[in-house]
Amino acid sequence: MTQELIEKSKKYLWLPFTQMKDYDENPLIIESGEGIKVKDIDGKEYYDGFSSVWLNVHGHRKKELDDAIKQQLDKIAHSTLLGMTNIPATELAEKLIGITPENLTRVFYSDSGAEAMEIALKMAFQYWKNIGRPEKQKFISMQNGYHGDTIGAVSVGSIELFHHIYGPLMFESYKSPIPYVYRSESGDPEICRDECLKQLEQLLKEQHETIAALSIESMVQGAAGMIVMPEGFLSGVRELCTKYDVLMIVDEVATGFGRTGKMFACEYEGVQPDLMAAGKGITGGYLPIAATFTTEKMYQAFYDDDKTKTFFHGHSYTGNQLGCAVAIENLRLFEQDQIVAQVSEKAEHLHKLLLELKDMPYVGDVRQLGFMCGIELVKSKETKESYPIQARMGYQVSLKMRELGMLTRPMGDVIVFMPPLVSTTEELKAMVNIMKQAIHEVTCSEQ
């Protein structure tokens, strides 16, 4: 039966962000999960070291979340939000507005983080048109930025490997540098931050009259390799957007819902965005719900007797009752178990564990904010020389980690570590030890 399933997966499936030749050589099918571990069809257990792609909060098969879905199933599984609403979607909206930055007062639901960003871009574009400033049509995004894989989200992304092939499909956007301190010439956080803000301001000075909005990941660029912004950068971007009358879209899809040690990462610098996208942890990692938040000022620009000012956007499963019901229970557990405070406290312990990796001969940099961590592997610690692309060092280390009982997906040669938020200090230590062993065995054998 096991081999039969593997052969079916090879024959019929096309997996996301996966070179299928790699999958055929190293297939894996997950059958079940319990707590922070998952089990494959052979019965082998693995630590879920990347929270099933950055979204699991309370672990797998959390009884309260399971029960919330079952109870909602006794009422209704889904009805549309086009022109009407439902009970869970309405109640969840109130709870979400209660925990987001205070200037955000409206919720627009969707099914994924990419869609939440797509919605934010379309809202920003139409907002200026609705208020009589149609010339503001352009967007600024950050170099190395990633906001998802729909065409709009790709257009404001800037990861060459992911995005360049779709160039002819994309609209043009301005790219502004992000402070990547480890790879910067100065290596100084403040100098790097100020240089990037200076270049952004120059761009805004020249082009602000045609720019609708700026999009930016909040505090950490995830897909770029867990690049943590130096203190003052995100708030500096907010100040420049305000100064030059440009909307600020903050992407909290990966960083939101406690992942960084704050409910939303923009809280670290008191940033109040004009639009904010969130997803992943919103349902505790159970069902695909995402949300775009915006201000009352923006909402009112669409509220009119002129029907052409309507926001013409929607998804079939927008505001799905099952997803919203489990999201409500997820937020209740956040409050009951003080998840955000726990992450903040355990992140200090995790920091000490990660210092052991930083001393390893082929680890160039270790970056962390809360439970968002990246370990950058380098061929030379002294010169920061990267491994050749063909070596696929990050991928090889992740395969070794899998062999040792832990799952993750690297970003190039950056090993991603984003464990479920309920991971205990003992479990964190066990997972870091697996990373340490895998990095040692693979990097040293390559020398």
Side-chain angles (χ1 to χ4, degrees):
M1 182 63 178
T2 296
Q3 191 57 40
E4 184 182 346
L5 277 170
I6 289 173
E7 292 307 316
K8 285 181 181 180
S9 73
K10 292 180 178 182
K11 184 175 180 179
Y12 299 115
L13 284 172
W14 193 344
L15 306 180
F17 274 95
T18 300
Q19 173 48 253
M20 291 306 291
K21 188 173 182 181
D22 288 342
Y23 176 79
D24 286 352
E25 293 171 359
N26 295 283
L28 177 64
I29 302 178
I30 298 302
E31 182 178 44
S32 61
E34 186 77 35
I36 72 162
K37 290 186 175 182
V38 295
K39 185 185 294 185
D40 69 17
I41 55 176
D42 290 318
K44 181 175 179 178
E45 285 190 329
Y46 308 85
Y47 284 108
D48 191 353
F50 64 155
S51 296
S52 296
V53 190
W54 312 4
L55 50 76
N56 193 278
V57 173
H58 308 283
H60 301 277
R61 294 186 63 199
K62 180 71 173 176
K63 184 180 186 303
E64 293 89 335
L65 300 181
D66 295 351
D67 289 345
I69 295 172
K70 293 173 185 175
Q71 291 165 16
Q72 182 57 45
L73 271 174
D74 288 336
K75 300 173 184 175
I76 188 172
H78 180 71
S79 63
T80 184
L81 238 64
L82 274 68
M84 63 189 74
T85 186
N86 63 61
I87 294 171
T90 304
E91 292 181 344
L92 176 60
E94 180 185 28
K95 292 182 182 299
L96 288 170
I97 292 304
I99 62 173
T100 52
E102 62 183 13
N103 69 323
L104 302 176
T105 63
R106 296 285 173 169
V107 182
F108 195 102
Y109 290 117
S110 57
D111 308 338
S112 71
E115 291 167 358
M117 280 299 297
E118 198 88 9
I119 288 162
L121 296 171
K122 291 175 72 174
M123 282 181 174
F125 180 89
Q126 190 175 342
Y127 166 78
W128 294 110
K129 182 177 175 62
N130 282 3
I131 66 170
R133 298 188 63 186
E135 72 280 2
K136 290 175 77 68
Q137 299 183 3
K138 300 290 187 180
F139 291 87
I140 298 176
S141 55
M142 298 293 114
Q143 290 174 0
N144 298 316
Y146 175 81
H147 300 289
D149 303 310
T150 54
I151 292 301
V154 167
S155 296
V156 293
S158 184
I159 296 181
E160 184 72 8
L161 178 64
F162 297 167
H163 300 149
H164 80 279
I165 196 169
Y166 304 111
L169 297 175
M170 295 155 56
F171 62 76
E172 290 186 8
S173 65
Y174 298 106
K175 302 295 189 282
S176 189
I178 198 85
Y180 187 175
V181 177
Y182 177 68
R183 291 288 177 186
S184 68
E185 188 175 331
S186 68
D188 182 280
E190 293 186 6
I191 292 174
C192 190
R193 175 199 66 201
D194 293 346
E195 287 176 348
C196 290
L197 288 174
K198 183 178 180 181
Q199 290 184 57
L200 174 59
E201 179 157 28
Q202 186 60 40
L203 173 59
L204 285 166
K205 275 182 181 178
E206 296 170 0
Q207 305 293 342
H208 70 276
E209 291 183 359
T210 63
I211 294 172
L214 174 149
S215 64
I216 185 170
E217 292 160 88
S218 187
M219 295 301 294
V220 183
Q221 282 192 313
M226 299 297 159
I227 300 172
V228 181
M229 300 171 192
E231 183 179 349
F233 182 73
L234 191 69
S235 57
V237 172
R238 172 68 273 184
E239 290 171 10
L240 290 174
C241 286
T242 301
K243 180 178 178 179
Y244 290 97
D245 200 17
V246 166
L247 299 173
M248 184 181 189
I249 303 170
V250 169
D251 183 346
E252 291 267 7
V253 175
T255 54
F257 296 99
R259 175 58 59 182
T260 67
K262 299 284 187 182
M263 183 59 81
F264 296 99
C266 61
E267 295 173 24
Y268 274 100
E269 301 201 344
V271 167
Q272 297 280 336
D274 300 294
L275 294 130
M276 185 174 86
K280 291 195 182 291
I282 195 171
T283 66
Y286 266 57
L287 286 169
I289 293 283
T292 305
F293 302 92
T294 191
T295 63
E296 199 65 21
K297 179 181 178 181
M298 286 198 66
Y299 174 81
Q300 290 298 327
F302 292 78
Y303 191 89
D304 203 284
D305 290 330
D306 180 354
K307 300 304 183 257
T308 65
K309 291 188 175 182
T310 301
F311 185 54
F312 293 108
H313 188 102
H315 300 277
S316 299
Y317 282 95
T318 296
N320 169 256
Q321 282 97 320
L322 296 176
C324 290
V326 75
I328 291 170
E329 181 61 18
N330 173 45
L331 294 182
R332 189 191 70 78
L333 289 173
F334 258 94
E335 185 175 359
Q336 172 191 287
D337 299 340
Q338 298 184 304
I339 296 295
V340 177
Q342 277 196 46
V343 172
S344 181
E345 181 180 336
K346 286 184 288 191
E348 295 181 18
H349 177 73
L350 178 57
H351 176 72
K352 294 175 184 176
L353 293 173
L354 292 173
L355 287 177
E356 298 176 15
L357 300 182
K358 197 164 187 177
D359 292 334
M360 298 180 73
Y362 301 104
V363 171
D365 194 27
V366 175
R367 300 183 282 273
Q368 178 200 4
L369 188 63
F371 273 23
M372 289 189 78
C373 314
I375 297 92
E376 184 166 347
L377 307 177
V378 291
K379 187 175 182 180
S380 170
K381 202 177 185 81
E382 290 71 30
T383 66
K384 303 181 183 178
E385 179 188 357
S386 301
Y387 284 100
I389 294 174
Q390 297 83 354
R392 304 184 71 193
M393 191 59 65
Y395 178 67
Q396 298 303 324
V397 169
S398 72
L399 283 181
K400 176 58 70 172
M401 287 166 61
R402 176 169 140 185
E403 180 186 318
L404 296 171
M406 177 172 154
L407 300 180
T408 190
R409 278 179 63 87
M411 294 296 176
D413 284 343
V414 176
I415 304 302
V416 170
F417 184 48
M418 293 181 66
L421 302 191
V422 295
S423 302
T424 65
T425 54
E426 292 79 12
E427 289 167 334
L428 291 171
K429 183 176 182 179
M431 287 186 278
V432 171
N433 283 341
I434 288 175
M435 281 196 292
K436 186 176 182 180
Q437 182 178 345
I439 291 169
H440 172 74
E441 289 189 20
V442 174
T443 57
C444 290
S445 68
E446 290 293 321
Q447 305 310 313

